[in-house]
Amino acid sequence: MRIKVLIADDHELVRIGLQSILEESSGIEVVGEAIDGATAVAAAIECTPDVILMDLRMPRMDGIAATAEIKSIRPETRVLIITSNDNQEDMFAALSAGADGYCSKDIQRQQLILAIQTVHSGATWLDPQIARLVLKTATQPVHAGKSSTSTKGAASTLSSRELEVVQLLVEGLSNNEMAGRLSISNETVKTHMRHIMEKLAVSDRTQAAVK
């Protein structure tokens, strides 16, 4: 069964280019397009896509608001942010809104196909440079008065192995891939993930990656 994809971007040339790339993959079917966030929400309901390629900067409703709305209506739909915007606040806002992945528009076509397949499988996808930013932010010292103190405290309780799992998580690896990379069983990875989410007080993998 092919992965049904909806493309949401206000630039026609971008939509045409993405559709052309995706049509080269026999495992992907483009089921619709949206020119803004509000249209993306309506199309998500009508076309029931498996994955939405979501731009951030769009009229009427931006990609962050559209992602949150779609996730509240169809939580099973996976949202992959694809944007030329590298603003750190927007990135974390999109992930917090429920986005399942985040990549830049200069991504190579084969990597884009892989990103779609990855989020469709239930894993999180972050471009390497985005993953590095997440890790850099997570390891920055917390200044007095910042609201991130509680998050920093929770993260400090993670074991060295759990930190390794988190690093692979933000790289977009699945449980099976983590098991292979760390030479441990898939069940052990699941146990680490459960402990990580408990310690970080989150309910899913994406929220753990953001924290």
Side-chain angles (χ1 to χ4, degrees), residues 22-36:
L22 299 183
E23 285 177 346
E24 296 178 2
S25 173
S26 59
I28 294 176
E29 175 188 5
V30 177
V31 295
E33 297 181 5
I35 61 174
D36 55 50

Side-chain angles (χ1 to χ4, degrees), residues 1-5 22 24-29 116-117:
M1 183 178 295
R2 294 195 292 177
I3 302 173
K4 298 189 297 181
V5 174
L22 299 183
E24 296 178 2
S25 173
S26 59
I28 294 176
E29 175 188 5
I116 292 172
Q117 294 170 337

Side-chain angles (χ1 to χ4, degrees), residues 69-204:
E69 183 72 14
I70 289 168
K71 282 295 186 175
S72 68
I73 299 171
R74 299 194 79 253
E76 67 273 22
T77 298
R78 311 290 287 176
V79 178
L80 176 62
I81 302 296
I82 178 166
T83 179
S84 57
N85 175 34
D86 60 358
N87 181 279
Q88 180 175 322
E89 291 184 3
D90 285 345
M91 179 191 70
F92 282 108
L95 294 173
S96 296
D100 302 287
Y102 197 105
C103 61
S104 61
K105 285 184 177 177
D106 60 0
I107 188 172
Q108 299 296 313
R109 62 179 62 199
Q110 289 304 317
Q111 286 293 100
L112 176 59
I113 299 297
L114 179 58
I116 292 172
Q117 294 170 337
T118 298
V119 298
H120 179 251
S121 70
T124 301
W125 175 276
L126 296 176
D127 276 357
Q129 64 268 31
I130 300 299
R132 285 193 293 271
L133 178 58
V134 171
L135 289 174
K136 180 180 178 181
T137 302
T139 56
Q140 284 177 345
V142 179
H143 300 290
K146 293 291 185 179
S147 61
S148 55
T149 302
S150 61
T151 298
K152 183 71 174 182
S156 68
T157 66
L158 298 180
S159 69
S160 58
R161 176 63 85 183
E162 288 166 351
L163 286 171
E164 289 179 322
V165 172
V166 168
Q167 289 175 333
L168 297 180
L169 174 65
V170 299
E171 291 179 23
L173 271 65
S174 66
N175 284 356
N176 287 334
E177 291 169 329
M178 290 181 191
R181 182 79 67 86
L182 299 174
S183 298
I184 57 180
S185 70
N186 192 46
E187 289 303 316
T188 300
V189 173
K190 290 181 180 179
T191 298
H192 286 315
M193 286 301 306
R194 185 173 69 253
H195 291 164
I196 289 168
M197 289 190 285
E198 289 174 354
K199 290 179 180 181
L200 296 182
V202 297
S203 58
D204 60 44

Side-chain angles (χ1 to χ4, degrees), residues 10 33-43 56-66 69:
D10 58 327
E33 297 181 5
I35 61 174
D36 55 50
T39 307
V41 174
L56 283 183
R57 303 298 192 197
M58 294 186 291
R60 297 180 63 196
M61 179 186 290
D62 64 26
I64 296 172
E69 183 72 14

Side-chain angles (χ1 to χ4, degrees), residues 9-19:
D9 196 293
D10 58 327
H11 293 95
E12 182 180 13
L13 290 180
V14 172
R15 296 196 305 273
I16 292 173
L18 288 173
Q19 182 164 356

